[in-house]
Amino acid sequence: TWEMLTTAEHTFDPRAGSRKIPEGVAMLDGKWVKITGYVAFPLLVQQPRELLAMLNQWDGCCIGVPPSPYDAIEVRLKDIVTGDARFATFGHVTGRFGVQPYISGDWLIGLYIMDEGTLEIEAFGGFGGE
């Protein structure tokens, strides 16, 4: 769950000198997982092969709360997304989960990745589930 993933913010904070991944999160590394949340595709890409899965809705600019490294997953998709699927905003993402901190200096840029991802779309535009 997102609640489990966000627990990492209490023990993994490079700026504060803390680099411990919670056991419940660490055990997911390399496992197949399914998570439900908001999704965003790269802008101006006609056939995206990646997306950002997030706890909160964010459009990259003006709507919603920008994701943090603790509540976002960089997803590499198994297949290219085509047609109207590129406009999905909410759904289920399944794939091989990875805990791979990306740190620049003392700043945590990213923490979670997913490979071989698939997307089950639940909503287009607006809020999830509508």
Side-chain angles (χ1 to χ4, degrees), residues 30-70:
K31 303 289 191 289
W32 285 87
V33 301
K34 179 177 183 178
I35 194 157
T36 301
Y38 293 95
V39 297
F41 293 95
L43 298 175
L44 305 175
V45 176
Q46 294 300 314
Q47 296 181 326
R49 189 176 279 277
E50 18 183 54
L51 62 83
L52 189 63
M54 304 166 287
L55 169 63
N56 300 303
Q57 183 179 25
W58 184 59
D59 71 353
C61 173
C62 311
I63 297 174
V65 178
S68 76
Y70 308 104

PDB file of all heavy atoms in Angstrom, residues 30-70:
ATOM      1  N   GLY A  30      12.360  -6.385  -5.627  1.00  0.00           N
ATOM      2  CA  GLY A  30      12.424  -7.543  -6.516  1.00  0.00           C
ATOM      3  C   GLY A  30      11.133  -8.349  -6.604  1.00  0.00           C
ATOM      4  O   GLY A  30      11.041  -9.286  -7.397  1.00  0.00           O
ATOM      5  N   LYS A  31      10.129  -7.980  -5.820  1.00  0.00           N
ATOM      6  CA  LYS A  31       8.857  -8.715  -5.807  1.00  0.00           C
ATOM      7  C   LYS A  31       7.876  -8.122  -6.815  1.00  0.00           C
ATOM      8  O   LYS A  31       7.961  -6.961  -7.193  1.00  0.00           O
ATOM      9  CB  LYS A  31       8.214  -8.664  -4.412  1.00  0.00           C
ATOM     10  CG  LYS A  31       9.073  -9.193  -3.293  1.00  0.00           C
ATOM     11  CD  LYS A  31       9.222 -10.687  -3.364  1.00  0.00           C
ATOM     12  CE  LYS A  31       9.832 -11.285  -2.134  1.00  0.00           C
ATOM     13  NZ  LYS A  31      11.230 -11.048  -1.905  1.00  0.00           N
ATOM     14  N   TRP A  32       6.926  -8.937  -7.240  1.00  0.00           N
ATOM     15  CA  TRP A  32       5.840  -8.464  -8.102  1.00  0.00           C
ATOM     16  C   TRP A  32       4.776  -7.846  -7.212  1.00  0.00           C
ATOM     17  O   TRP A  32       4.329  -8.478  -6.255  1.00  0.00           O
ATOM     18  CB  TRP A  32       5.267  -9.615  -8.920  1.00  0.00           C
ATOM     19  CG  TRP A  32       6.181  -9.998 -10.029  1.00  0.00           C
ATOM     20  CD1 TRP A  32       7.224 -10.875  -9.969  1.00  0.00           C
ATOM     21  CD2 TRP A  32       6.168  -9.480 -11.352  1.00  0.00           C
ATOM     22  NE1 TRP A  32       7.867 -10.937 -11.186  1.00  0.00           N
ATOM     23  CE2 TRP A  32       7.230 -10.089 -12.056  1.00  0.00           C
ATOM     24  CE3 TRP A  32       5.372  -8.559 -12.016  1.00  0.00           C
ATOM     25  CZ2 TRP A  32       7.507  -9.804 -13.391  1.00  0.00           C
ATOM     26  CZ3 TRP A  32       5.654  -8.275 -13.353  1.00  0.00           C
ATOM     27  CH2 TRP A  32       6.709  -8.901 -14.012  1.00  0.00           C
ATOM     28  N   VAL A  33       4.412  -6.602  -7.504  1.00  0.00           N
ATOM     29  CA  VAL A  33       3.406  -5.904  -6.706  1.00  0.00           C
ATOM     30  C   VAL A  33       2.366  -5.262  -7.613  1.00  0.00           C
ATOM     31  O   VAL A  33       2.599  -5.041  -8.808  1.00  0.00           O
ATOM     32  CB  VAL A  33       4.032  -4.828  -5.794  1.00  0.00           C
ATOM     33  CG1 VAL A  33       5.040  -5.420  -4.832  1.00  0.00           C
ATOM     34  CG2 VAL A  33       4.666  -3.719  -6.597  1.00  0.00           C
ATOM     35  N   LYS A  34       1.231  -4.963  -7.004  1.00  0.00           N
ATOM     36  CA  LYS A  34       0.156  -4.229  -7.679  1.00  0.00           C
ATOM     37  C   LYS A  34      -0.236  -3.090  -6.754  1.00  0.00           C
ATOM     38  O   LYS A  34      -0.453  -3.294  -5.567  1.00  0.00           O
ATOM     39  CB  LYS A  34      -1.050  -5.141  -7.927  1.00  0.00           C
ATOM     40  CG  LYS A  34      -2.206  -4.442  -8.605  1.00  0.00           C
ATOM     41  CD  LYS A  34      -3.326  -5.438  -8.882  1.00  0.00           C
ATOM     42  CE  LYS A  34      -4.464  -4.797  -9.632  1.00  0.00           C
ATOM     43  NZ  LYS A  34      -5.514  -5.778  -9.942  1.00  0.00           N
ATOM     44  N   ILE A  35      -0.281  -1.876  -7.309  1.00  0.00           N
ATOM     45  CA  ILE A  35      -0.652  -0.717  -6.514  1.00  0.00           C
ATOM     46  C   ILE A  35      -1.613   0.145  -7.319  1.00  0.00           C
ATOM     47  O   ILE A  35      -1.534   0.214  -8.548  1.00  0.00           O
ATOM     48  CB  ILE A  35       0.599   0.079  -6.056  1.00  0.00           C
ATOM     49  CG1 ILE A  35       0.229   1.058  -4.959  1.00  0.00           C
ATOM     50  CG2 ILE A  35       1.293   0.733  -7.230  1.00  0.00           C
ATOM     51  CD1 ILE A  35       1.398   1.469  -4.089  1.00  0.00           C
ATOM     52  N   THR A  36      -2.540   0.762  -6.630  1.00  0.00           N
ATOM     53  CA  THR A  36      -3.544   1.618  -7.255  1.00  0.00           C
ATOM     54  C   THR A  36      -3.211   3.073  -6.960  1.00  0.00           C
ATOM     55  O   THR A  36      -2.871   3.415  -5.829  1.00  0.00           O
ATOM     56  CB  THR A  36      -4.948   1.289  -6.693  1.00  0.00           C
ATOM     57  OG1 THR A  36      -5.222  -0.078  -6.954  1.00  0.00           O
ATOM     58  CG2 THR A  36      -6.011   2.151  -7.340  1.00  0.00           C
ATOM     59  N   GLY A  37      -3.296   3.911  -7.987  1.00  0.00           N
ATOM     60  CA  GLY A  37      -3.027   5.323  -7.765  1.00  0.00           C
ATOM     61  C   GLY A  37      -3.177   6.140  -9.025  1.00  0.00           C
ATOM     62  O   GLY A  37      -3.642   5.657 -10.064  1.00  0.00           O
ATOM     63  N   TYR A  38      -2.789   7.379  -8.917  1.00  0.00           N
ATOM     64  CA  TYR A  38      -2.822   8.298 -10.049  1.00  0.00           C
ATOM     65  C   TYR A  38      -1.628   8.016 -10.947  1.00  0.00           C
ATOM     66  O   TYR A  38      -0.582   7.566 -10.475  1.00  0.00           O
ATOM     67  CB  TYR A  38      -2.795   9.746  -9.555  1.00  0.00           C
ATOM     68  CG  TYR A  38      -4.057  10.105  -8.821  1.00  0.00           C
ATOM     69  CD1 TYR A  38      -4.136  10.013  -7.444  1.00  0.00           C
ATOM     70  CD2 TYR A  38      -5.185  10.505  -9.517  1.00  0.00           C
ATOM     71  CE1 TYR A  38      -5.301  10.314  -6.770  1.00  0.00           C
ATOM     72  CE2 TYR A  38      -6.362  10.806  -8.857  1.00  0.00           C
ATOM     73  CZ  TYR A  38      -6.418  10.710  -7.485  1.00  0.00           C
ATOM     74  OH  TYR A  38      -7.579  10.989  -6.837  1.00  0.00           O
ATOM     75  N   VAL A  39      -1.781   8.264 -12.227  1.00  0.00           N
ATOM     76  CA  VAL A  39      -0.694   8.048 -13.167  1.00  0.00           C
ATOM     77  C   VAL A  39      -0.526   9.278 -14.053  1.00  0.00           C
ATOM     78  O   VAL A  39      -1.486   9.991 -14.323  1.00  0.00           O
ATOM     79  CB  VAL A  39      -0.909   6.791 -14.046  1.00  0.00           C
ATOM     80  CG1 VAL A  39      -0.929   5.540 -13.184  1.00  0.00           C
ATOM     81  CG2 VAL A  39      -2.171   6.895 -14.875  1.00  0.00           C
ATOM     82  N   ALA A  40       0.708   9.500 -14.475  1.00  0.00           N
ATOM     83  CA  ALA A  40       1.008  10.585 -15.405  1.00  0.00           C
ATOM     84  C   ALA A  40       2.058  10.084 -16.388  1.00  0.00           C
ATOM     85  O   ALA A  40       3.015   9.417 -15.994  1.00  0.00           O
ATOM     86  CB  ALA A  40       1.520  11.809 -14.653  1.00  0.00           C
ATOM     87  N   PHE A  41       1.841  10.417 -17.651  1.00  0.00           N
ATOM     88  CA  PHE A  41       2.765  10.022 -18.709  1.00  0.00           C
ATOM     89  C   PHE A  41       3.655  11.210 -19.076  1.00  0.00           C
ATOM     90  O   PHE A  41       3.284  12.362 -18.855  1.00  0.00           O
ATOM     91  CB  PHE A  41       1.981   9.579 -19.954  1.00  0.00           C
ATOM     92  CG  PHE A  41       1.202   8.321 -19.752  1.00  0.00           C
ATOM     93  CD1 PHE A  41      -0.130   8.365 -19.395  1.00  0.00           C
ATOM     94  CD2 PHE A  41       1.814   7.083 -19.901  1.00  0.00           C
ATOM     95  CE1 PHE A  41      -0.854   7.199 -19.196  1.00  0.00           C
ATOM     96  CE2 PHE A  41       1.103   5.912 -19.699  1.00  0.00           C
ATOM     97  CZ  PHE A  41      -0.235   5.965 -19.352  1.00  0.00           C
ATOM     98  N   PRO A  42       4.817  10.958 -19.666  1.00  0.00           N
ATOM     99  CA  PRO A  42       5.667  12.071 -20.121  1.00  0.00           C
ATOM    100  C   PRO A  42       4.899  12.924 -21.133  1.00  0.00           C
ATOM    101  O   PRO A  42       4.154  12.394 -21.968  1.00  0.00           O
ATOM    102  CB  PRO A  42       6.846  11.370 -20.801  1.00  0.00           C
ATOM    103  CG  PRO A  42       6.835   9.974 -20.287  1.00  0.00           C
ATOM    104  CD  PRO A  42       5.407   9.657 -19.959  1.00  0.00           C
ATOM    105  N   LEU A  43       5.086  14.217 -21.052  1.00  0.00           N
ATOM    106  CA  LEU A  43       4.407  15.126 -21.976  1.00  0.00           C
ATOM    107  C   LEU A  43       4.981  15.000 -23.380  1.00  0.00           C
ATOM    108  O   LEU A  43       6.171  14.741 -23.554  1.00  0.00           O
ATOM    109  CB  LEU A  43       4.552  16.573 -21.497  1.00  0.00           C
ATOM    110  CG  LEU A  43       3.920  16.882 -20.140  1.00  0.00           C
ATOM    111  CD1 LEU A  43       4.255  18.310 -19.737  1.00  0.00           C
ATOM    112  CD2 LEU A  43       2.419  16.668 -20.193  1.00  0.00           C
ATOM    113  N   LEU A  44       4.138  15.176 -24.361  1.00  0.00           N
ATOM    114  CA  LEU A  44       4.514  15.211 -25.768  1.00  0.00           C
ATOM    115  C   LEU A  44       5.159  13.929 -26.277  1.00  0.00           C
ATOM    116  O   LEU A  44       5.900  13.951 -27.254  1.00  0.00           O
ATOM    117  CB  LEU A  44       5.431  16.407 -26.056  1.00  0.00           C
ATOM    118  CG  LEU A  44       4.873  17.778 -25.646  1.00  0.00           C
ATOM    119  CD1 LEU A  44       5.922  18.848 -25.871  1.00  0.00           C
ATOM    120  CD2 LEU A  44       3.583  18.095 -26.392  1.00  0.00           C
ATOM    121  N   VAL A  45       4.898  12.820 -25.628  1.00  0.00           N
ATOM    122  CA  VAL A  45       5.398  11.525 -26.090  1.00  0.00           C
ATOM    123  C   VAL A  45       4.205  10.767 -26.663  1.00  0.00           C
ATOM    124  O   VAL A  45       3.236  10.501 -25.959  1.00  0.00           O
ATOM    125  CB  VAL A  45       6.063  10.722 -24.940  1.00  0.00           C
ATOM    126  CG1 VAL A  45       6.475   9.345 -25.420  1.00  0.00           C
ATOM    127  CG2 VAL A  45       7.252  11.484 -24.384  1.00  0.00           C
ATOM    128  N   GLN A  46       4.264  10.439 -27.943  1.00  0.00           N
ATOM    129  CA  GLN A  46       3.139   9.798 -28.619  1.00  0.00           C
ATOM    130  C   GLN A  46       2.950   8.343 -28.218  1.00  0.00           C
ATOM    131  O   GLN A  46       1.842   7.843 -28.191  1.00  0.00           O
ATOM    132  CB  GLN A  46       3.309   9.904 -30.139  1.00  0.00           C
ATOM    133  CG  GLN A  46       3.223  11.322 -30.641  1.00  0.00           C
ATOM    134  CD  GLN A  46       1.878  11.964 -30.328  1.00  0.00           C
ATOM    135  OE1 GLN A  46       0.840  11.373 -30.522  1.00  0.00           O
ATOM    136  NE2 GLN A  46       1.918  13.177 -29.810  1.00  0.00           N
ATOM    137  N   GLN A  47       4.034   7.645 -27.936  1.00  0.00           N
ATOM    138  CA  GLN A  47       3.957   6.231 -27.562  1.00  0.00           C
ATOM    139  C   GLN A  47       4.818   5.993 -26.316  1.00  0.00           C
ATOM    140  O   GLN A  47       5.897   5.409 -26.399  1.00  0.00           O
ATOM    141  CB  GLN A  47       4.417   5.350 -28.717  1.00  0.00           C
ATOM    142  CG  GLN A  47       3.511   5.458 -29.923  1.00  0.00           C
ATOM    143  CD  GLN A  47       3.971   4.560 -31.052  1.00  0.00           C
ATOM    144  OE1 GLN A  47       5.158   4.344 -31.256  1.00  0.00           O
ATOM    145  NE2 GLN A  47       3.019   4.035 -31.797  1.00  0.00           N
ATOM    146  N   PRO A  48       4.317   6.445 -25.162  1.00  0.00           N
ATOM    147  CA  PRO A  48       5.125   6.329 -23.944  1.00  0.00           C
ATOM    148  C   PRO A  48       5.356   4.882 -23.517  1.00  0.00           C
ATOM    149  O   PRO A  48       4.504   4.015 -23.703  1.00  0.00           O
ATOM    150  CB  PRO A  48       4.314   7.087 -22.896  1.00  0.00           C
ATOM    151  CG  PRO A  48       2.923   7.085 -23.406  1.00  0.00           C
ATOM    152  CD  PRO A  48       3.019   7.049 -24.905  1.00  0.00           C
ATOM    153  N   ARG A  49       6.518   4.658 -22.947  1.00  0.00           N
ATOM    154  CA  ARG A  49       6.871   3.354 -22.406  1.00  0.00           C
ATOM    155  C   ARG A  49       7.136   3.482 -20.902  1.00  0.00           C
ATOM    156  O   ARG A  49       7.591   2.560 -20.261  1.00  0.00           O
ATOM    157  CB  ARG A  49       8.099   2.791 -23.123  1.00  0.00           C
ATOM    158  CG  ARG A  49       8.379   1.343 -22.749  1.00  0.00           C
ATOM    159  CD  ARG A  49       9.527   0.777 -23.526  1.00  0.00           C
ATOM    160  NE  ARG A  49       9.168   0.346 -24.851  1.00  0.00           N
ATOM    161  CZ  ARG A  49       8.626  -0.844 -25.147  1.00  0.00           C
ATOM    162  NH1 ARG A  49       8.364  -1.696 -24.204  1.00  0.00           N
ATOM    163  NH2 ARG A  49       8.342  -1.167 -26.383  1.00  0.00           N
ATOM    164  N   GLU A  50       6.863   4.648 -20.342  1.00  0.00           N
ATOM    165  CA  GLU A  50       7.011   4.838 -18.912  1.00  0.00           C
ATOM    166  C   GLU A  50       5.920   5.762 -18.396  1.00  0.00           C
ATOM    167  O   GLU A  50       5.267   6.469 -19.163  1.00  0.00           O
ATOM    168  CB  GLU A  50       8.380   5.404 -18.513  1.00  0.00           C
ATOM    169  CG  GLU A  50       9.149   6.036 -19.592  1.00  0.00           C
ATOM    170  CD  GLU A  50      10.521   6.525 -19.173  1.00  0.00           C
ATOM    171  OE1 GLU A  50      11.305   5.749 -18.631  1.00  0.00           O
ATOM    172  OE2 GLU A  50      10.775   7.690 -19.427  1.00  0.00           O
ATOM    173  N   LEU A  51       5.724   5.702 -17.085  1.00  0.00           N
ATOM    174  CA  LEU A  51       4.758   6.578 -16.438  1.00  0.00           C
ATOM    175  C   LEU A  51       5.189   6.772 -14.998  1.00  0.00           C
ATOM    176  O   LEU A  51       6.048   6.057 -14.492  1.00  0.00           O
ATOM    177  CB  LEU A  51       3.333   6.012 -16.518  1.00  0.00           C
ATOM    178  CG  LEU A  51       3.026   4.674 -15.842  1.00  0.00           C
ATOM    179  CD1 LEU A  51       2.742   4.812 -14.368  1.00  0.00           C
ATOM    180  CD2 LEU A  51       1.822   4.043 -16.518  1.00  0.00           C
ATOM    181  N   LEU A  52       4.581   7.729 -14.354  1.00  0.00           N
ATOM    182  CA  LEU A  52       4.802   7.960 -12.941  1.00  0.00           C
ATOM    183  C   LEU A  52       3.513   7.582 -12.222  1.00  0.00           C
ATOM    184  O   LEU A  52       2.445   8.109 -12.534  1.00  0.00           O
ATOM    185  CB  LEU A  52       5.143   9.431 -12.685  1.00  0.00           C
ATOM    186  CG  LEU A  52       5.614   9.802 -11.289  1.00  0.00           C
ATOM    187  CD1 LEU A  52       6.931   9.096 -10.960  1.00  0.00           C
ATOM    188  CD2 LEU A  52       5.785  11.308 -11.173  1.00  0.00           C
ATOM    189  N   ALA A  53       3.601   6.621 -11.304  1.00  0.00           N
ATOM    190  CA  ALA A  53       2.453   6.233 -10.469  1.00  0.00           C
ATOM    191  C   ALA A  53       2.595   6.995  -9.155  1.00  0.00           C
ATOM    192  O   ALA A  53       3.690   7.047  -8.575  1.00  0.00           O
ATOM    193  CB  ALA A  53       2.455   4.734 -10.230  1.00  0.00           C
ATOM    194  N   MET A  54       1.485   7.595  -8.694  1.00  0.00           N
ATOM    195  CA  MET A  54       1.559   8.473  -7.527  1.00  0.00           C
ATOM    196  C   MET A  54       0.398   8.256  -6.576  1.00  0.00           C
ATOM    197  O   MET A  54      -0.703   7.874  -6.998  1.00  0.00           O
ATOM    198  CB  MET A  54       1.534   9.931  -7.996  1.00  0.00           C
ATOM    199  CG  MET A  54       2.615  10.294  -8.980  1.00  0.00           C
ATOM    200  SD  MET A  54       2.311  11.877  -9.799  1.00  0.00           S
ATOM    201  CE  MET A  54       0.974  11.447 -10.920  1.00  0.00           C
ATOM    202  N   LEU A  55       0.638   8.563  -5.325  1.00  0.00           N
ATOM    203  CA  LEU A  55      -0.411   8.516  -4.317  1.00  0.00           C
ATOM    204  C   LEU A  55      -1.432   9.620  -4.557  1.00  0.00           C
ATOM    205  O   LEU A  55      -2.636   9.402  -4.476  1.00  0.00           O
ATOM    206  CB  LEU A  55       0.204   8.670  -2.917  1.00  0.00           C
ATOM    207  CG  LEU A  55      -0.755   8.903  -1.756  1.00  0.00           C
ATOM    208  CD1 LEU A  55      -1.693   7.715  -1.576  1.00  0.00           C
ATOM    209  CD2 LEU A  55       0.025   9.171  -0.481  1.00  0.00           C
ATOM    210  N   ASN A  56      -0.947  10.814  -4.863  1.00  0.00           N
ATOM    211  CA  ASN A  56      -1.821  11.981  -5.039  1.00  0.00           C
ATOM    212  C   ASN A  56      -1.905  12.389  -6.500  1.00  0.00           C
ATOM    213  O   ASN A  56      -0.973  12.184  -7.267  1.00  0.00           O
ATOM    214  CB  ASN A  56      -1.278  13.166  -4.229  1.00  0.00           C
ATOM    215  CG  ASN A  56      -1.216  12.851  -2.762  1.00  0.00           C
ATOM    216  OD1 ASN A  56      -2.213  12.509  -2.151  1.00  0.00           O
ATOM    217  ND2 ASN A  56      -0.023  12.941  -2.181  1.00  0.00           N
ATOM    218  N   GLN A  57      -3.007  13.020  -6.848  1.00  0.00           N
ATOM    219  CA  GLN A  57      -3.167  13.504  -8.221  1.00  0.00           C
ATOM    220  C   GLN A  57      -2.243  14.692  -8.456  1.00  0.00           C
ATOM    221  O   GLN A  57      -2.134  15.588  -7.619  1.00  0.00           O
ATOM    222  CB  GLN A  57      -4.608  13.918  -8.474  1.00  0.00           C
ATOM    223  CG  GLN A  57      -4.835  14.348  -9.908  1.00  0.00           C
ATOM    224  CD  GLN A  57      -6.277  14.743 -10.174  1.00  0.00           C
ATOM    225  OE1 GLN A  57      -6.996  15.142  -9.283  1.00  0.00           O
ATOM    226  NE2 GLN A  57      -6.671  14.630 -11.415  1.00  0.00           N
ATOM    227  N   TRP A  58      -1.567  14.688  -9.600  1.00  0.00           N
ATOM    228  CA  TRP A  58      -0.702  15.790 -10.008  1.00  0.00           C
ATOM    229  C   TRP A  58      -0.602  15.779 -11.520  1.00  0.00           C
ATOM    230  O   TRP A  58      -0.377  14.739 -12.126  1.00  0.00           O
ATOM    231  CB  TRP A  58       0.675  15.639  -9.373  1.00  0.00           C
ATOM    232  CG  TRP A  58       1.622  16.760  -9.654  1.00  0.00           C
ATOM    233  CD1 TRP A  58       1.442  18.076  -9.349  1.00  0.00           C
ATOM    234  CD2 TRP A  58       2.901  16.673 -10.271  1.00  0.00           C
ATOM    235  NE1 TRP A  58       2.536  18.806  -9.742  1.00  0.00           N
ATOM    236  CE2 TRP A  58       3.448  17.967 -10.308  1.00  0.00           C
ATOM    237  CE3 TRP A  58       3.641  15.614 -10.786  1.00  0.00           C
ATOM    238  CZ2 TRP A  58       4.692  18.246 -10.848  1.00  0.00           C
ATOM    239  CZ3 TRP A  58       4.890  15.896 -11.328  1.00  0.00           C
ATOM    240  CH2 TRP A  58       5.404  17.194 -11.351  1.00  0.00           C
ATOM    241  N   ASP A  59      -0.751  16.924 -12.147  1.00  0.00           N
ATOM    242  CA  ASP A  59      -0.702  16.988 -13.610  1.00  0.00           C
ATOM    243  C   ASP A  59       0.627  17.506 -14.137  1.00  0.00           C
ATOM    244  O   ASP A  59       0.779  17.752 -15.322  1.00  0.00           O
ATOM    245  CB  ASP A  59      -1.851  17.835 -14.148  1.00  0.00           C
ATOM    246  CG  ASP A  59      -1.695  19.318 -13.861  1.00  0.00           C
ATOM    247  OD1 ASP A  59      -0.763  19.700 -13.126  1.00  0.00           O
ATOM    248  OD2 ASP A  59      -2.507  20.107 -14.378  1.00  0.00           O
ATOM    249  N   GLY A  60       1.603  17.689 -13.260  1.00  0.00           N
ATOM    250  CA  GLY A  60       2.904  18.183 -13.685  1.00  0.00           C
ATOM    251  C   GLY A  60       3.016  19.685 -13.637  1.00  0.00           C
ATOM    252  O   GLY A  60       4.060  20.242 -13.919  1.00  0.00           O
ATOM    253  N   CYS A  61       1.939  20.350 -13.278  1.00  0.00           N
ATOM    254  CA  CYS A  61       1.954  21.803 -13.281  1.00  0.00           C
ATOM    255  C   CYS A  61       1.087  22.390 -12.183  1.00  0.00           C
ATOM    256  O   CYS A  61       1.567  22.837 -11.170  1.00  0.00           O
ATOM    257  CB  CYS A  61       1.489  22.309 -14.643  1.00  0.00           C
ATOM    258  SG  CYS A  61       1.258  24.099 -14.710  1.00  0.00           S
ATOM    259  N   CYS A  62      -0.210  22.340 -12.414  1.00  0.00           N
ATOM    260  CA  CYS A  62      -1.118  23.179 -11.630  1.00  0.00           C
ATOM    261  C   CYS A  62      -2.130  22.436 -10.759  1.00  0.00           C
ATOM    262  O   CYS A  62      -2.695  23.028  -9.853  1.00  0.00           O
ATOM    263  CB  CYS A  62      -1.901  24.072 -12.589  1.00  0.00           C
ATOM    264  SG  CYS A  62      -0.835  24.918 -13.769  1.00  0.00           S
ATOM    265  N   ILE A  63      -2.408  21.200 -11.049  1.00  0.00           N
ATOM    266  CA  ILE A  63      -3.441  20.468 -10.325  1.00  0.00           C
ATOM    267  C   ILE A  63      -2.809  19.421  -9.429  1.00  0.00           C
ATOM    268  O   ILE A  63      -2.035  18.585  -9.885  1.00  0.00           O
ATOM    269  CB  ILE A  63      -4.423  19.795 -11.295  1.00  0.00           C
ATOM    270  CG1 ILE A  63      -5.151  20.851 -12.114  1.00  0.00           C
ATOM    271  CG2 ILE A  63      -5.424  18.919 -10.539  1.00  0.00           C
ATOM    272  CD1 ILE A  63      -6.041  20.291 -13.192  1.00  0.00           C
ATOM    273  N   GLY A  64      -3.134  19.488  -8.146  1.00  0.00           N
ATOM    274  CA  GLY A  64      -2.696  18.456  -7.227  1.00  0.00           C
ATOM    275  C   GLY A  64      -1.410  18.775  -6.489  1.00  0.00           C
ATOM    276  O   GLY A  64      -0.890  19.881  -6.536  1.00  0.00           O
ATOM    277  N   VAL A  65      -0.911  17.765  -5.798  1.00  0.00           N
ATOM    278  CA  VAL A  65       0.273  17.877  -4.949  1.00  0.00           C
ATOM    279  C   VAL A  65       1.447  17.193  -5.654  1.00  0.00           C
ATOM    280  O   VAL A  65       1.352  16.019  -5.991  1.00  0.00           O
ATOM    281  CB  VAL A  65       0.013  17.169  -3.601  1.00  0.00           C
ATOM    282  CG1 VAL A  65       1.236  17.234  -2.706  1.00  0.00           C
ATOM    283  CG2 VAL A  65      -1.205  17.770  -2.914  1.00  0.00           C
ATOM    284  N   PRO A  66       2.564  17.920  -5.878  1.00  0.00           N
ATOM    285  CA  PRO A  66       3.712  17.259  -6.510  1.00  0.00           C
ATOM    286  C   PRO A  66       4.165  16.052  -5.681  1.00  0.00           C
ATOM    287  O   PRO A  66       4.161  16.102  -4.455  1.00  0.00           O
ATOM    288  CB  PRO A  66       4.789  18.346  -6.524  1.00  0.00           C
ATOM    289  CG  PRO A  66       4.038  19.633  -6.433  1.00  0.00           C
ATOM    290  CD  PRO A  66       2.823  19.327  -5.594  1.00  0.00           C
ATOM    291  N   PRO A  67       4.546  14.979  -6.350  1.00  0.00           N
ATOM    292  CA  PRO A  67       4.945  13.780  -5.620  1.00  0.00           C
ATOM    293  C   PRO A  67       6.302  13.953  -4.943  1.00  0.00           C
ATOM    294  O   PRO A  67       7.132  14.752  -5.372  1.00  0.00           O
ATOM    295  CB  PRO A  67       5.023  12.715  -6.704  1.00  0.00           C
ATOM    296  CG  PRO A  67       5.306  13.480  -7.952  1.00  0.00           C
ATOM    297  CD  PRO A  67       4.602  14.799  -7.795  1.00  0.00           C
ATOM    298  N   SER A  68       6.488  13.194  -3.888  1.00  0.00           N
ATOM    299  CA  SER A  68       7.790  13.125  -3.225  1.00  0.00           C
ATOM    300  C   SER A  68       8.415  11.782  -3.600  1.00  0.00           C
ATOM    301  O   SER A  68       7.725  10.912  -4.142  1.00  0.00           O
ATOM    302  CB  SER A  68       7.614  13.226  -1.706  1.00  0.00           C
ATOM    303  OG  SER A  68       7.142  11.999  -1.189  1.00  0.00           O
ATOM    304  N   PRO A  69       9.681  11.556  -3.292  1.00  0.00           N
ATOM    305  CA  PRO A  69      10.273  10.246  -3.583  1.00  0.00           C
ATOM    306  C   PRO A  69       9.591   9.106  -2.825  1.00  0.00           C
ATOM    307  O   PRO A  69       9.716   7.949  -3.204  1.00  0.00           O
ATOM    308  CB  PRO A  69      11.723  10.397  -3.119  1.00  0.00           C
ATOM    309  CG  PRO A  69      11.991  11.855  -3.166  1.00  0.00           C
ATOM    310  CD  PRO A  69      10.686  12.510  -2.809  1.00  0.00           C
ATOM    311  N   TYR A  70       8.860   9.429  -1.769  1.00  0.00           N
ATOM    312  CA  TYR A  70       8.232   8.409  -0.936  1.00  0.00           C
ATOM    313  C   TYR A  70       6.845   8.002  -1.427  1.00  0.00           C
ATOM    314  O   TYR A  70       6.336   6.959  -1.029  1.00  0.00           O
ATOM    315  CB  TYR A  70       8.115   8.899   0.512  1.00  0.00           C
ATOM    316  CG  TYR A  70       9.426   9.408   1.054  1.00  0.00           C
ATOM    317  CD1 TYR A  70       9.664  10.768   1.184  1.00  0.00           C
ATOM    318  CD2 TYR A  70      10.425   8.520   1.423  1.00  0.00           C
ATOM    319  CE1 TYR A  70      10.874  11.234   1.682  1.00  0.00           C
ATOM    320  CE2 TYR A  70      11.637   8.972   1.917  1.00  0.00           C
ATOM    321  CZ  TYR A  70      11.855  10.345   2.043  1.00  0.00           C
ATOM    322  OH  TYR A  70      13.051  10.788   2.527  1.00  0.00           O
TER     323      TYR A  70
END
